[in-house]
Amino acid sequence: MQAKADGQNYAPKGKSEPVVGPGEFKVAAVGLDHGHIYGMCNGLSEAGADIVMVYDQDPAKVEEFQKKFPSAVAARSEQEVMESDVKLVAGAAVPAERCAIGLRAMAHGKDYFADKPPLTTREQLRQARDAVQSTGRKFGVYYSERLHVEAAVYAEQIIAQGAIGRVVSVSGFGPHRLNAGSRPAWFFEPERYGGILVDIGCHQIEQILFFSGAQDAEIVSSRAANYNLKSYAAFQDYGDATLTCDNGVAGYFRVDWFTPSGLGAWGDGRTTIIGTDGYIELRKYLDIANDPDGDHVYMVNHEGEHHFRASGQCGFPFFGRFIRDCLDRTEIAMSQRHAFRVMELALDAHEKAIKL
Amino acid sequence: MQAKADGQNYAPKGKSEPVVGPGEFKVAAVGLDHGHIYGMCNGLSEAGADIVMVYDQDPAKVEEFQKKFPSAVAARSEQEVMESDVKLVAGAAVPAERCAIGLRAMAHGKDYFADKPPLTTREQLRQARDAVQSTGRKFGVYYSERLHVEAAVYAEQIIAQGAIGRVVSVSGFGPHRLNAGSRPAWFFEPERYGGILVDIGCHQIEQILFFSGAQDAEIVSSRAANYNLKSYAAFQDYGDATLTCDNGVAGYFRVDWFTPSGLGAWGDGRTTIIGTDGYIELRKYLDIANDPDGDHVYMVNHEGEHHFRASGQCGFPFFGRFIRDCLDRTEIAMSQRHAFRVMELALDAHEKAIKL
C-alpha cells in the first residue's frame, strides 16, 4: 500500500502466465534509477522470463534489486551484461541515459526494453530508429499506464467487442505524487528527465493513439507550467495537450505533479473513451472516496450504467506477447513504429508547448 | 426523472428564499422555445419574483407554461409585454433570436435575462453591449450548468475557504443527450443555434473563467466535429477547446451530444478543478453506476478523500442576487462584462475551430 501511495516504487504484480520455459528467455536489468524496473521485471518474470543478471553503478541499488530477484547475478560491468547470453536488456536508468544503454544492447545483438520515457531528445530518437534499422533488434518501451493496468486491458477488450461503438474521443488524466523529498536530483533537471510532456505525457499519448485505433496523430496544442515548485525553477509540474488522430479521433491529456497527500494512491489516473454508442471511464489506481483499490472500469452505453472491477480479471498480456515477439520476431505486443512515434509526438508536444 | 433524463426539459427546483416581497419584482417570459425557461422562472420565482406575464408566438407553448406558472397572464403580443410594468424579461427563444428580444426589452427600460447562448454572432454581441451602454439596462445570462447546480455552488464555497489551495487548472465535460426525434428543426441549424462551441461550450467557458478566478482568458485551440449525425450535415456533435486564463490557469473543455440511452440523466456533466493543495471533481447530474441523484462533490486534499452530497445544501444564490442586482443596480450575481466576455470567447472558439 505504501508503494502504491508513493508511486515511484509502484510495481504491479499479476498472474504467472509463462509463454516460455525455464532458461528460454534470459533478461538482464541495467539501470535501476527508477523503481519502474521492478514492474518491468515482474511482468517479464510472470510471463516466464528469467531475470539472470543485473547491473547498476550503485551497488546499493543492485543489492536492493537482488532481494526482489535473487536469481539475478550482479555483473561487474555493463560490458559483462552486453557480452552475456541474455536475450533482452531491461533498463530504467535516468531517462536521458536510457537510449544509450539500448544502443549498446542492440549493438551487442540484444533486444531492449526501456522504461518510459525511453529517450529525451530528437537526436536520441534518430539514433534509436537507426539502430533498430541497422541491427534488426527491438527497442520496446514500458508504457506502464496502459500495459500494466488491468482496467486498461479490460477496456481494450470491451471496445474491441463494440461495447461503445466507434471511438470518437480519448482523454487521459495523469496526476502524479511529487514526493519531492525522496526524489533524486535528476528528477528535477529537464535535460535529464525530459520535461513533463515527455516524461509522463508519453503515457497519455500512447493511450490516445492506442484507444483511438489510430496509426498516427498530430499535436494541435500543448502547454507546460511550473505553477508551484519555485525551488526547482526549471521543473514542470503541469502539462497538457490536444492531439488529432489520423482517423479523426480527438485526443486530450493533462498531466501534473499535484496529487495531494490525502489521496490513497500515487495518482488518480483516469482515461475517458467516448464512442458513438457509449463511453468508458477508467479509474485506474483507486476510486476516490469509494474504493482504495484500483482497476475500475465504468462503462455507460445504450443498455445502462455498468461498473466492472478488472483487478485479477485480465492479467497483463503485453509481457508474454513481447517475449514472444522477441523470440519470434513478430510485433504482436506493440509495433516498433508505434513505440517510437509516441515519443516523437511527446517531443513535438514538449517543443511547441506554450509556457504558462 | 424523465425530465432529468431528457435534458431539454431539465428545470431544477430549489428552496424558496425570497429576496423581495410580493409584487416587488415582476417578470415576463418571452420566447419559450427551449425548456430552460422553466428553470429560469423556477429560480426567479423561488427568489421572490412574480412571473406575471408570458408571450410566445405558439399558443400551445404559452398554455403549457401557464400550467407551471398560473400567475402568468398570456400577453397578446410581445409589444404588450414591453409596454407592461414588468421589471425583467426572461427569454429562451431560438438562440439566434434571443438577443433581439433583449434589445427590445432594454429599449423599453427593462432588464433582460436570456437563456444560454444569449446570442450567436459577433454583430449581436456588439449590439447587446451597445444597448447595455446606451440604456443602462442589464443583459443577464442563464449559465445554468454552474448557476443552477448545487454541486457547483458548493465547490465555489469550499474553494473560497481554501480547501484545495490556489486553483491551477479547470476542466469541464458537458456531454448532452441528443434526443434527435424530439428536437425542433432550429436545433440542427448552425445559424440558429450557434454551433456546439457557442451553444453548450459557453457553459464551460463560463465555469473555467469563474472557478479559475480569472478576469479574462484566450482560446488557445478549439475543434468541432460532426462524427455521427450525418443526416444533419451542418450539425456539430462534438467540440472541445483549450483556454489560458489571464491569471495563468489552464482550462480545457469538451462538449458532445453522445450521451447514451442507458445513462440515467441527460448528461454525465463533470467539472474538475485542480489546486496546489488538492482537487475537486463535480459529478453534477448523477454518479454513474453509484447514485442516480446528482450534486456530488468529490474533494481530495492533504487531509484525505471526501465525498459531499450538495443537494439541498446550498440552494441557488444566483437568482436572489440577480434580482437584487436589478433592483439595486449592483453586479453581485455576475458582472455584465463577464456575461458578455464568455460569449465573445465562445464565438472565438467557434470561429477558430479546426473541423475534425
Side-chain angles (χ1 to χ4, degrees):
Chain A
M1 193 59 198
Q2 190 54 37
K4 183 185 173 191
D6 276 356
Q8 69 260 48
N9 297 315
Y10 186 47
K13 284 195 174 182
K15 291 180 283 193
S16 184
E17 292 181 291
V19 298
V20 288
E24 212 179 325
F25 193 79
K26 294 182 184 175
V27 173
V30 174
L32 310 178
D33 292 281
H34 198 294
H36 277 162
I37 192 68
Y38 292 99
M40 297 162 72
C41 290
N42 281 349
L44 292 167
S45 178
E46 288 158 8
D50 297 298
I51 315 297
V52 298
M53 198 176 271
V54 55
Y55 176 73
D56 190 280
Q57 290 177 313
D58 179 354
K61 287 199 180 74
V62 170
E63 204 174 314
E64 190 66 26
F65 184 86
Q66 288 178 306
K67 286 183 195 160
K68 294 270 175 61
F69 296 97
S71 59
V73 173
R76 278 154 300 179
S77 65
E78 184 190 286
Q79 192 60 25
E80 189 181 335
V81 175
M82 298 305 172
E83 290 169 2
S84 75
D85 66 345
V86 303
K87 287 208 161 57
L88 180 77
V89 171
V94 171
E97 297 162 20
R98 286 174 191 166
C99 181
I101 296 170
L103 298 177
R104 293 193 289 272
M106 289 189 283
H108 284 84
K110 301 178 191 321
D111 292 317
Y112 184 52
F113 184 42
D115 185 22
K116 70 76 233 170
L119 48 85
T120 55
T121 68
R122 291 208 185 271
E123 175 58 16
Q124 290 173 15
L125 177 60
R126 190 192 59 73
Q127 291 173 345
R129 280 177 165 155
D130 285 354
V132 165
Q133 192 69 31
S134 62
T135 66
R137 296 293 97 193
K138 290 183 183 293
F139 188 121
V141 184
Y142 180 62
Y143 291 115
S144 55
E145 293 189 25
R146 178 174 68 85
L147 305 175
H148 225 164
V149 172
E150 283 189 285
V153 178
Y154 194 90
E156 173 185 356
Q157 294 173 357
I158 61 176
I159 291 168
Q161 289 160 10
I164 60 168
R166 178 170 56 92
V167 171
V168 299
S169 162
V170 181
S171 309
F173 308 104
H176 284 61
R177 174 164 289 140
L178 185 60
N179 286 328
S182 72
R183 298 284 184 179
W186 62 261
F187 180 86
F188 300 101
E189 297 166 12
E191 67 281 7
R192 299 184 78 198
Y193 84 94
I196 192 167
L197 292 165
V198 169
D199 180 23
I200 54 178
C202 67
H203 278 304
Q204 301 296 333
I205 294 170
E206 201 280 329
Q207 289 169 91
I208 290 169
L209 276 180
F210 181 81
F211 286 120
S212 68
Q215 294 300 308
D216 204 349
E218 62 171 343
I219 304 292
V220 177
S221 67
S222 61
R223 299 183 287 197
N226 181 341
Y227 281 123
N228 204 40
L229 210 64
K230 299 307 177 193
S231 48
Y232 298 94
F235 188 69
Q236 297 173 327
D237 58 15
Y238 180 91
D240 69 7
T242 55
L243 291 82
T244 299
C245 297
D246 64 357
N247 57 358
V249 170
Y252 172 75
F253 73 83
R254 181 186 69 227
V255 286
D256 70 62
W257 289 100
F258 286 115
T259 293
S261 312
L263 192 82
W266 57 267
D268 184 5
R270 310 268 188 110
T271 305
T272 300
I273 306 158
I274 299 174
T276 50
D277 297 299
Y279 63 97
I280 291 169
E281 179 188 3
L282 307 181
R283 300 181 189 165
K284 293 181 175 180
Y285 311 116
L286 83 170
D287 192 355
I288 50 168
N290 282 322
D291 187 344
D293 291 328
D295 288 309
H296 296 266
V297 179
Y298 285 86
M299 190 267 280
V300 184
N301 61 9
H302 298 313
E303 279 69 53
E305 303 167 15
H306 313 275
H307 177 194
F308 308 106
R309 288 176 172 81
S311 185
Q313 300 299 308
C314 315
F316 307 109
F318 170 82
F319 299 93
R321 291 176 189 159
F322 183 61
I323 290 172
R324 289 308 329 169
D325 280 350
C326 291
L327 292 169
D328 306 336
R329 310 319 288 171
T330 49
E331 291 203 327
I332 312 294
M334 181 182 294
S335 76
Q336 187 63 67
R337 189 191 166 284
H338 175 82
F340 283 153
R341 182 58 184 153
V342 166
M343 290 315 302
E344 194 162 33
L345 288 167
L347 291 165
D348 286 351
H350 175 70
E351 287 169 13
K352 73 194 296 184
I354 296 169
K355 302 300 182 296
L356 298 178
Chain B
M1 195 59 199
Q2 192 52 37
K4 184 185 172 190
D6 276 356
Q8 70 260 47
N9 298 315
Y10 186 45
K13 285 194 174 184
K15 291 180 285 193
S16 184
E17 292 181 290
V19 298
V20 288
E24 212 180 325
F25 193 80
K26 294 182 184 174
V27 173
V30 174
L32 310 178
D33 292 281
H34 198 296
H36 277 164
I37 192 69
Y38 293 99
M40 297 162 72
C41 290
N42 281 349
L44 292 168
S45 177
E46 289 159 8
D50 297 299
I51 316 297
V52 299
M53 199 175 270
V54 55
Y55 176 74
D56 191 278
Q57 290 177 312
D58 179 354
K61 287 198 180 76
V62 170
E63 202 175 316
E64 191 65 27
F65 185 85
Q66 287 178 308
K67 285 183 196 160
K68 295 271 175 60
F69 295 97
S71 59
V73 173
R76 277 155 301 180
S77 65
E78 185 190 287
Q79 192 61 24
E80 187 182 336
V81 173
M82 297 305 172
E83 289 170 2
S84 75
D85 67 344
V86 303
K87 287 207 160 56
L88 180 77
V89 170
V94 172
E97 298 162 18
R98 286 175 192 167
C99 181
I101 295 171
L103 297 178
R104 293 194 289 272
M106 290 189 283
H108 284 83
K110 302 179 189 320
D111 292 318
Y112 184 52
F113 184 42
D115 184 22
K116 71 77 231 168
L119 48 86
T120 55
T121 68
R122 290 208 186 271
E123 174 59 15
Q124 290 173 14
L125 177 60
R126 190 192 60 72
Q127 291 173 345
R129 279 178 165 153
D130 285 354
V132 164
Q133 192 69 30
S134 62
T135 66
R137 296 293 94 193
K138 290 182 183 296
F139 188 120
V141 183
Y142 179 62
Y143 291 116
S144 55
E145 293 189 25
R146 179 176 66 84
L147 305 175
H148 226 164
V149 172
E150 282 190 286
V153 177
Y154 194 89
E156 173 185 355
Q157 294 172 358
I158 62 177
I159 291 169
Q161 290 159 11
I164 60 168
R166 179 169 56 91
V167 172
V168 300
S169 162
V170 180
S171 308
F173 309 105
H176 284 60
R177 175 163 290 142
L178 185 60
N179 287 328
S182 72
R183 298 284 185 179
W186 62 261
F187 180 86
F188 299 101
E189 298 166 11
E191 68 281 8
R192 299 184 77 199
Y193 85 94
I196 193 169
L197 292 166
V198 168
D199 180 24
I200 55 178
C202 67
H203 278 304
Q204 301 296 333
I205 294 171
E206 201 280 329
Q207 288 169 91
I208 290 169
L209 277 180
F210 181 81
F211 285 121
S212 67
Q215 295 301 308
D216 204 351
E218 62 170 343
I219 303 293
V220 177
S221 67
S222 60
R223 298 183 288 197
N226 181 342
Y227 280 123
N228 205 41
L229 209 64
K230 299 309 177 191
S231 48
Y232 298 93
F235 189 68
Q236 297 172 326
D237 59 15
Y238 180 90
D240 69 4
T242 55
L243 291 81
T244 299
C245 297
D246 64 357
N247 58 359
V249 170
Y252 171 74
F253 73 85
R254 181 186 70 227
V255 286
D256 70 61
W257 289 100
F258 287 115
T259 293
S261 312
L263 193 81
W266 57 266
D268 185 5
R270 310 268 189 111
T271 306
T272 299
I273 305 158
I274 299 174
T276 50
D277 297 299
Y279 64 97
I280 290 169
E281 179 188 3
L282 308 181
R283 301 180 189 165
K284 293 182 175 179
Y285 312 116
L286 83 171
D287 193 355
I288 50 168
N290 281 322
D291 187 345
D293 291 327
D295 288 308
H296 295 266
V297 179
Y298 284 86
M299 191 268 281
V300 184
N301 62 8
H302 297 313
E303 279 69 53
E305 302 166 15
H306 313 276
H307 177 195
F308 309 107
R309 288 176 173 82
S311 185
Q313 300 299 307
C314 316
F316 306 110
F318 170 81
F319 298 93
R321 290 177 190 158
F322 183 62
I323 290 173
R324 289 308 329 169
D325 280 350
C326 291
L327 292 169
D328 306 336
R329 311 317 290 171
T330 50
E331 291 203 327
I332 311 295
M334 182 183 293
S335 75
Q336 186 64 66
R337 188 190 167 285
H338 175 83
F340 282 153
R341 182 59 183 152
V342 166
M343 290 314 304
E344 194 162 33
L345 288 167
L347 291 166
D348 286 352
H350 175 71
E351 287 170 13
K352 74 194 294 185
I354 296 168
K355 301 300 181 297
L356 297 178

